[in-house]
Amino acid sequence: MSENGTETIAPKAVIEDRIYVGNVDFKASEEELKSFFEGLNVTEVDIPFKENVRGDKVFKRHLGFAFVQFETKEDADKALADYNGQKFQRRNIFIKKAVPPPTEEEKKVRVEAYRAKREALLADKVKKKAEAAAAKKEADGAAPKSGAVDSSSDDKTPEGKASKDTIFVTNLNYDVTVKDLNVLFKDLKPKWIHVPARKVPLHVLKKNHGRRKNKGIAFVKFSSEETQKQAVSEFNGKEINGREIIVDIAIDARTPKEEDVKQAQEAEA
C-alpha cells in the first residue's frame, strides 16, 4: 500500500530468455528481425499488429515493437548486451528483458495509482496558485482576510463535473492520430475524436512535411453514457503503438466543444 492509499504492484520478475524490442520499423518482418540476431539461437519472433479494414480488404499494421524468444538465458543476455541501441533497418531499436503481461487486477491498480497521482498534482497546483495570489495581494497592500474569496481571480479550478458522453485518453503514443483512434473505437461509433497536437514552429512543421506529434492525450465523444462507459471498460489498459492507454471519464470543464474540434480538424487538414 502506498502513502496515498493506493495499492502498489511489486516489480515483476523478468522472463530471462525473452526480450522486448522497441522502436521496430513498421515494415520489418518477423523473419528479418530473426536474421538480425545472427549467431544467436532464436526460437520465436512475435511482432504484434492490428487489422485495418478498407472496403473489402483487410490490412495488417505492425505496432512498432516485438518480442524475441531465445533458447537460453545466455542468448537473451548477449542480445541485450550487443544489440541494444543498434540500427535495425531505418530505426535504432532499444531492448530490455520481457515481463509477463499484466493481469486485470494489475491494470486496475495501475489506473488507480495514475488517478491518485493526477489528483495530487492538481491539488498541489491549486494550492500554489492560491498562495501566489495571496502573496501578490499582500505585496500590493491588499491582502485578503482569512476565509475571504477573491471573485475576480482568473485561477479558478473547474468544477469537475463528469461528462455523460465523452472519455479522456492518456498515455498515448505521440504518433497516434485521429485515424488510428477511429479504427480502435470503430465498433462504438464515436461522434467525434479530438487529438490535441503540439505547437511547433512553422519551419519545423515544413521540415516534417506537415506532420505533428500529439500531446499524449485525446478526447472521444459517443452517442450515449452507456457507450461511454463501455469504452472505458473495454479499452482501459489497451495497448496501441507500444503503449497501454489509460481511458477515463472526461471532465466537462476540460472537454473541448464540438465547434472547436471541427475547427482544429479543418486547420489540421
Side-chain angles (χ1 to χ4, degrees):
M1 184 78 70
S2 65
E3 292 181 0
N4 58 18
T6 60
E7 293 183 35
T8 56
I9 301 175
K12 280 193 171 185
V14 298
I15 304 174
E16 293 291 357
D17 55 358
R18 186 177 177 86
I19 62 171
Y20 168 91
V21 185
N23 203 33
V24 176
D25 193 298
F26 290 114
K27 294 183 178 180
S29 69
E30 293 173 348
E31 191 59 38
E32 288 170 334
L33 187 55
K34 181 178 182 179
S35 299
F36 179 69
F37 294 102
E38 184 180 2
L40 300 178
N41 297 311
V42 177
T43 60
E44 180 188 16
V45 175
D46 178 26
I47 304 180
F49 64 88
K50 68 177 180 181
E51 292 185 345
N52 293 334
V53 180
R54 296 177 187 172
D56 296 331
K57 295 183 178 180
V58 178
F59 299 89
K60 291 183 178 180
R61 183 177 185 274
H62 288 158
L63 300 181
F65 63 96
F67 295 96
V68 181
Q69 179 72 45
F70 296 91
E71 279 191 5
T72 65
K73 172 184 179 301
E74 288 71 26
D75 283 330
D77 289 341
K78 187 168 180 56
L80 182 58
D82 295 349
Y83 291 91
N84 187 34
Q86 295 296 314
K87 190 169 185 179
F88 171 57
Q89 295 189 357
R90 296 176 298 173
R91 295 186 173 192
N92 290 94
I93 58 174
F94 64 89
I95 300 174
K96 61 183 179 180
K97 285 293 184 72
V99 297
T103 64
E104 290 302 318
E105 182 62 28
E106 287 170 341
K107 288 181 182 179
K108 181 180 177 183
V109 171
R110 188 177 300 172
V111 170
E112 289 174 352
Y114 170 80
R115 288 176 179 170
K117 182 179 180 181
R118 187 176 65 179
E119 290 171 4
L121 289 173
L122 179 60
D124 185 58
K125 185 177 180 181
V126 171
K127 180 182 176 182
K128 286 181 179 178
K129 285 185 177 181
E131 290 173 349
K136 185 176 184 302
K137 281 185 176 290
E138 187 174 357
D140 293 341
K145 296 180 181 180
S146 176
V149 177
D150 179 14
S151 59
S152 63
S153 172
D154 292 330
D155 294 327
K156 294 180 180 179
T157 4
E159 293 182 6
K161 183 179 178 182
S163 170
K164 297 291 186 182
D165 55 15
T166 305
I167 60 172
F168 181 51
V169 183
T170 56
N171 201 39
L172 268 185
N173 180 294
Y174 296 123
D175 291 321
V176 170
T177 64
V178 171
K179 185 177 180 180
D180 294 325
L181 293 182
N182 262 317
V183 173
L184 183 67
F185 294 108
K186 65 178 180 179
D187 292 338
L188 300 184
K189 300 179 180 178
K191 295 182 71 174
W192 54 253
I193 295 175
H194 180 50
V195 182
R198 294 183 184 182
K199 293 182 179 179
V200 295
L202 183 59
H203 71 279
V204 175
L205 192 61
K206 288 181 178 179
K207 184 178 178 181
N208 293 335
H209 306 289
R211 294 192 298 271
R212 294 175 183 263
K213 299 282 187 180
N214 68 53
K215 293 183 177 180
I217 62 173
F219 296 88
V220 185
K221 183 172 183 177
F222 298 98
S223 58
S224 67
E225 184 176 6
E226 181 182 357
T227 310
Q228 174 204 42
K229 290 181 177 178
Q230 184 182 350
V232 174
S233 174
E234 289 185 10
F235 292 95
N236 184 42
K238 189 83 172 178
E239 192 170 86
I240 175 172
N241 284 25
R243 286 193 178 186
E244 289 182 6
I245 58 175
I246 296 174
V247 183
D248 203 353
I249 302 296
I251 301 299
D252 274 340
R254 295 186 178 90
T255 303
K257 296 180 180 178
E258 191 163 351
E259 54 267 28
D260 295 334
V261 174
K262 289 181 179 179
Q263 288 178 5
Q265 292 175 345
E266 289 171 359
E268 188 68 21

